[in-house]
Amino acid sequence: MNKKLRNRSLTASVALLLAVTTACGNNSDNTNGGTNTKTNTATASETTNTNEPAPAETEAPAIDPNAKYDPPIEVSAVRYTDPTYKFKDGDTIENNVWTRAYESDLGIKIKYKWIVNGDQYGQKMNLTITSNDLPDIFQVDSVQFRQLAEGGQLEDLTQYVADYGSELTKTMIDRGTNAKSAAMYDGKLMGIPPAEDYLGGAPLLYVRTDWLKKLNLPEPKTMDDFINIAEAFTTKDPDGNGKNDTYGLAASKDLFGGYPDFSGFMNGFHAYANIWIKDSSGKLVNGSTQPEMKTALAKLQELYKAGVIDKEFGVKDGGKAAELQTAGKVGMSFGAMWNPLWPLQDGVNKDPNAEWGVFPIPSVDGTPAMAQSKADFNAFWVVKKGAEHPEAIVKLFNFYNEKIIGETAEPAKYHSADGIEFFKYALLQGGFGTPQGLLSVHKNVVTALQANDAAKLTPEEKSYYDKIVLFNGGDRTNWATNKVFGAGGSWEVIGANYVDQSLLMKSEFFGAPTPGMTDKQAILDKLVLEKFTKIILGAPISDFDQFVSDWNKLGGEQITQEVNDWYAKK
C-alpha cells in the first residue's frame, strides 16, 4: 500500500459553473485551454474622429473547468505501483476505470513514459530529471521540487488553479496552509500540494490478540509488556505447529515507511527518527541523532540477537516482510492506520482464527510515549514547463475529488469494492487536505452503526458503513474496514490517545527543503539507514556516536543551522 495513504473525506458542495463553447487566449480549439483575460477595443480618439460611440469593453468568455477536450488530448506521465495494486476483468494500470473515465469524460488520454515499483520511483525520477526527459505531469519529492523550481522547469499553476479549479479543489488546497506554502516558489503555486495530514501516518502497534489469549498474556501497556510478548511469540509456539518458526516483531530493510515501521518502537523510547524536535534549549535538532535513539537501537539489537526479528530482514522489502506476516509467522508489527487493509487482511483471509488488536505505542517508562508525525510535505504533483495543456492537471484533480468525495461520488466504482482499491489507479490519487480527515469519517461511521442509521453519511462513509455491516454479519473479507474505521479500530486508537491526550509529536520543521537538504539529504538518509541497520545486526552500539559525528560532517550540521534559521523567522 502507498506509504502515505492520505485522508479522503470531505463534505462540500461543488459550485455549478457556466459552460462556454469557445476558448480564450491563443488556443484554436474549443477546450477552454486559456486563462481569463480582458480585451479592450480601440477608442474613438484612437481611430477616426466620428460621433460613433466607442465599442464597449468586452470580457473573454468564462472558462468551464468541466469542459471536455474535443478532439481528445494526450498527456504524458510517469508513476509507481506497489504490491497492493490489484486488478480484475483484464484491467491494468494503463487501462482501468480511471483512464477510461479520463478519456470519456475529460477527453484526456494518459500515456505513461514509465511505471516502476514504489521503492524505485525516486531514483528513476532523478534519472529522468538528469536526462531532461520530463513528462507533462509527474510527482516529485521536496528536493526534486526545489531543484526543478529553481531551474525554471515547472509551470506556474497559480492561475490555472484559479481558472480551472472546482470549488472543492480550491477548498482542499487552501485548507492545508503549510502544505500550500511548501508548494510555493517565488510567490507562485508550482505544484498541487499533498495533504496536511498529521494523523494518518502516526505509528500504532498491531498484535495477534488470538496468540495473546492462547499464551495467556496481557495486552501491551508498557514496553516491558511488549518485550515479554515479543519473546513469547518467538519461543512458545503461538501457532501451535510444534516448530520454532515464528517471530515476535516484523521488520524490513527499509526500517521506516508505514509498514513495517520501527519508528513506533523508537517512539516508545522517546526517540524520533527522521523528524525535527526541540531540545532542552528550544533549538531544533534531528531526532535520529539524539541519545534516546542510541537506547532504542540497543534494544532492537537485543531483540534481533534473541531471534525476535527475522534474521533476513536486512534483505527483505515491505512486500517480503508482509508475506511472512500474512503466512501467520509474525505476531506484532508497528505501522500506520492502514495496515489492516494491507497486509493484515490477507492474513485474516488465510486464517479464520487470526485476530489483530490495535494499540497505542507503549512507553519504556512512566512518561507516555508520543507518536511521531512528520509533515514536511514530500510529494508534489507538478507540470513540466512548456507542456501544451498545463491546465489538464487541475481537471484531473477536480475529477478525482468529485468522484471520490464530491456530490456525485461513486465510491463503489472509483474508490474500492470486493477488496480492490480502485482509487489507486488514478493518476492524481489520495486525499489532499480534509477538515477532520479520516478521524471524522470513523466517528461518523461509528455513530451511524450505533444508531443503525446511515442517512447522514457521505458516499465514502456509507461505503465503509456497508462493509462493516457485512463484517458484523460474518463476512471476514471486510475485517480490515472494521479494524480501521469501526469501534476499537486504528482511528479510534488515534483519536482517543494521540489526539484526545495530546500525544502527537509533530516535526517542528515543515518548510521547503533548505539548500543543505537539496544537496545532502539523500546522503544523510542513506547514512541513517546503513548505520542503524548495522547496529541492529550487531555492530557495537558505540558506533552510534561515530554515526552522529559523520552525520554532522556530511551536511547535518549545515542543515541544522538552516532549519533553526527558518524556525527563528517562522
Side-chain angles (χ1 to χ4, degrees), residues 148-167:
L148 291 168
E150 288 180 342
Q153 294 176 270
L154 301 180
E155 282 285 346
D156 175 8
L157 301 182
T158 309
Q159 195 60 46
Y160 295 113
V161 170
D163 290 343
Y164 290 90
S166 67
E167 291 303 310

Side-chain angles (χ1 to χ4, degrees), residues 116-239:
V116 296
N117 290 329
D119 57 358
Q120 301 170 357
Y121 184 84
Q123 181 178 4
K124 183 69 172 178
M125 194 68 247
N126 284 335
L127 292 173
T128 298
I129 293 171
T130 301
S131 62
N132 196 27
D133 187 27
L134 298 176
D136 296 322
I137 296 175
F138 53 106
Q139 189 180 57
V140 292
D141 63 26
S142 56
V143 174
Q144 293 162 343
F145 175 79
R146 182 185 180 95
Q147 175 187 348
L148 291 168
E150 288 180 342
Q153 294 176 270
L154 301 180
E155 282 285 346
D156 175 8
L157 301 182
T158 309
Q159 195 60 46
Y160 295 113
V161 170
D163 290 343
Y164 290 90
S166 67
E167 291 303 310
L168 182 54
T169 286
K170 293 175 182 177
T171 297
M172 296 174 89
I173 291 176
D174 290 341
R175 178 174 289 112
T177 306
N178 295 332
K180 183 178 180 180
S181 176
M184 305 284 286
Y185 181 79
D186 196 23
K188 303 171 184 176
L189 184 68
M190 305 302 291
I192 302 296
E196 193 160 314
D197 176 19
Y198 288 97
L199 299 177
L204 298 159
L205 173 61
Y206 294 90
V207 183
R208 278 286 297 258
T209 50
D210 57 313
W211 286 8
L212 288 180
K213 293 177 182 178
K214 182 175 182 178
L215 300 179
N216 195 29
L217 295 168
E219 294 181 346
K221 295 182 179 179
T222 68
M223 186 57 70
D224 284 342
D225 291 339
F226 166 83
I227 292 171
N228 290 336
I229 293 168
E231 292 173 346
F233 281 0
T234 303
T235 62
K236 295 187 177 181
D237 191 26
D239 62 350

Side-chain angles (χ1 to χ4, degrees), residues 62 73 151 160 219 223 257 269 280 289 311 327 369 410 433 453 499 538 568:
I73 64 170
Y160 295 113
E219 294 181 346
M223 186 57 70
F269 289 80
S280 57
T289 64
K311 293 294 184 183
E410 299 177 75
D453 182 3
V499 176

Side-chain angles (χ1 to χ4, degrees), residues 355-411:
E355 186 54 62
W356 291 86
V358 192
F359 301 93
I361 302 303
S363 175
V364 70
D365 53 29
T367 301
M370 303 280 287
Q372 72 178 65
S373 176
K374 192 175 183 179
D376 57 355
F377 313 117
N378 202 38
F380 304 89
W381 286 98
V382 296
V383 177
K384 175 184 68 175
K385 184 72 173 180
E388 186 175 358
H389 292 282
E391 76 285 346
I393 192 173
V394 184
K395 291 194 172 191
L396 291 168
F397 191 24
N398 291 343
F399 190 78
Y400 180 86
N401 293 335
E402 182 58 30
K403 292 305 178 183
I404 295 296
I405 55 177
E407 289 184 334
T408 62
E410 299 177 75

